[in-house]
């Protein structure tokens, strides 16, 4: 019932693996299209398509990212959870999610996110960095276009999908909570240099981030002015993390081909 996926529980490294047209159904928690629980492991350059249905900690790629790393991955999975912490890519994350995206439809009860349902830190930092989501998201409470509940760090991300909920709903983040830092100081979750499309999301507010029109979201300067590193510019760095077809599309990550 729990820990369901191609890998139920992962303690190692999975690289360059795609699972296509998955139909994963779990009657419990920690369920993902590829990995149920990523426990201190690494999932890199992987993807998933299809559908995933379970209760809580449900993700299109990874159900529970337990101090693990998810890097340069994507999911187009339809994700349905009847409980909490449901995300298009990762359901519940206490680790690092970097340069990833999702565009599947996501629904659940609470802490529902287009990319990550819950980005939670106990004492160490949980991070979502240089990611985006474009799928429709719905739930009862703590629902965000990118992250449902956040008490970690979310930076240089955006969301553009429709978002709907009854309570605590946001274009980027539904709710920003608090946690104890390693110094035992109580700190609030951080959302910096993030954006959402106020037109496509149907949301004028968010627990973090800046709302922009569709035209502004398809303009490079919106992001470079916030320090995002794009191709063919060096003011924000030379890693060339993002590229864009201005006026036609939202920013894409460097590893996505133009055909995608």
């Amino acid at each position: 019932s729990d820990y369901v996926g191609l890998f139920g529980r992962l303690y190692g490294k999975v690289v360059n693996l795609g699972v296509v047209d998955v139909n994963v159904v779990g009657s419990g928690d920690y369920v993902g299209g590829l990995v149920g629980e990523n426990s201190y492991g690494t999932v890199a350059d992987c993807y998933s398509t299809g559908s995933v249905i379970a209760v809580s900690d449900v993700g299109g790629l990874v159900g529970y990212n337990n101090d693990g790393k998810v890097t340069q991955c994507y999911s187009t999975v339809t994700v349905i959870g009847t409980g909490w912490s449901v995300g298009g890519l990762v359901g519940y994350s206490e680790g690092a999610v970097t340069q990833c995206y999702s565009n599947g439809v996501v629904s659940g009860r609470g802490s529902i996110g287009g990319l990550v349902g819950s980005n939670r830190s106990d004492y160490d930092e949980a991070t979502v960095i240089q990611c985006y989501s474009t799928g429709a998201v719905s739930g009862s409470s703590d629902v965000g276009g990118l992250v449902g509940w956040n008490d970690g760090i979310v930076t240089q991300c955006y969301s553009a999908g429709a978002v709907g909920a009854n309570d605590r709903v946001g274009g980027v983040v539904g709710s920003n909570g608090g946690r104890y830092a390693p110094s035992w100081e109580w700190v609030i979750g951080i959302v910096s240099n993030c954006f959402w499309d106020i037109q496509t999301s149907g949301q004028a507010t968010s627990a973090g981030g800046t709302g922009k029109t569709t035209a502004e979201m398809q303009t490079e300067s919106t992001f470079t002015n916030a320090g995002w590193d794009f191709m063919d510019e060096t003011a924000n760095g030379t890693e060339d993390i993002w590229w864009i077809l201005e006026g036609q599309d939202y920013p894409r990550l460097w590893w996505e081909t133009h055909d995608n």
Side-chain angles (χ1 to χ4, degrees):
S1 61
D2 297 333
Y3 306 105
V4 182
L6 180 62
F7 301 96
R9 304 182 83 169
L10 175 69
Y11 297 91
K13 188 173 185 178
V14 177
V15 181
N16 297 328
L17 178 62
V19 287
V20 180
D21 294 334
V22 301
N23 181 19
V24 180
V25 180
S27 60
D29 306 331
Y30 316 117
V31 178
L34 181 66
V35 178
E37 178 188 359
N38 177 30
S39 187
Y40 300 92
T42 297
V43 180
D45 302 294
C46 295
Y47 69 90
S48 58
T49 72
S51 66
V52 176
I53 302 172
V55 181
S56 297
D57 301 329
V58 189
L61 191 75
V62 177
Y64 175 28
N65 187 36
N66 180 15
D67 287 315
K69 297 179 181 179
V70 181
T71 305
Q72 293 173 20
C73 296
Y74 74 90
S75 174
T76 64
V77 168
T78 296
V79 186
I80 300 172
T82 58
W84 304 87
S85 300
V86 183
L89 188 82
V90 179
Y92 190 112
S93 181
E94 293 178 327
V97 180
T98 307
Q99 293 185 10
C100 296
Y101 75 89
S102 60
N103 60 19
V105 175
V106 184
S107 63
R109 184 179 178 185
S111 297
I112 315 300
L115 187 84
V116 176
S118 295
N119 185 48
R120 304 296 298 267
S121 295
D122 287 332
Y123 306 106
D124 297 325
E125 299 290 5
T127 59
V128 178
I129 300 173
Q130 295 162 354
C131 297
Y132 72 87
S133 60
T134 59
V137 187
S138 62
S140 296
S141 63
D142 304 317
V143 179
L146 189 84
V147 177
W149 176 278
N150 174 61
D151 57 28
I153 295 175
V154 180
T155 186
Q156 291 192 13
C157 298
Y158 76 85
S159 60
V163 185
N166 298 324
D167 189 29
R168 298 190 295 276
V169 56
V172 175
V173 174
S175 292
N176 232 356
R179 70 193 187 284
Y180 283 107
S183 61
W184 293 98
E185 177 187 6
W186 183 256
V187 296
I188 302 298
I190 298 171
V191 181
S192 64
N193 300 323
C194 294
F195 303 91
W196 83 93
D197 190 320
I198 58 176
Q199 294 176 279
T200 56
S201 68
Q203 297 296 326
T205 61
S206 175
T210 302
K212 297 288 185 180
T213 65
T214 300
E216 291 172 321
M217 292 286 293
Q218 296 180 354
T219 302
E220 181 175 314
S221 61
T222 296
F223 306 94
T224 54
N225 289 343
W228 292 34
D229 184 355
F230 272 70
M231 292 182 176
D232 301 322
E233 66 84 33
T234 57
N236 297 324
T238 58
E239 295 182 60
D240 294 338
I241 294 166
W242 299 94
W243 61 271
I244 191 173
L245 293 174
E246 281 200 289
Q248 302 179 51
D249 199 2
Y250 300 94
R252 300 292 190 100
L253 291 161
W254 67 269
W255 55 267
E256 294 181 74
T257 67
H258 286 66
D259 292 338
N260 283 346

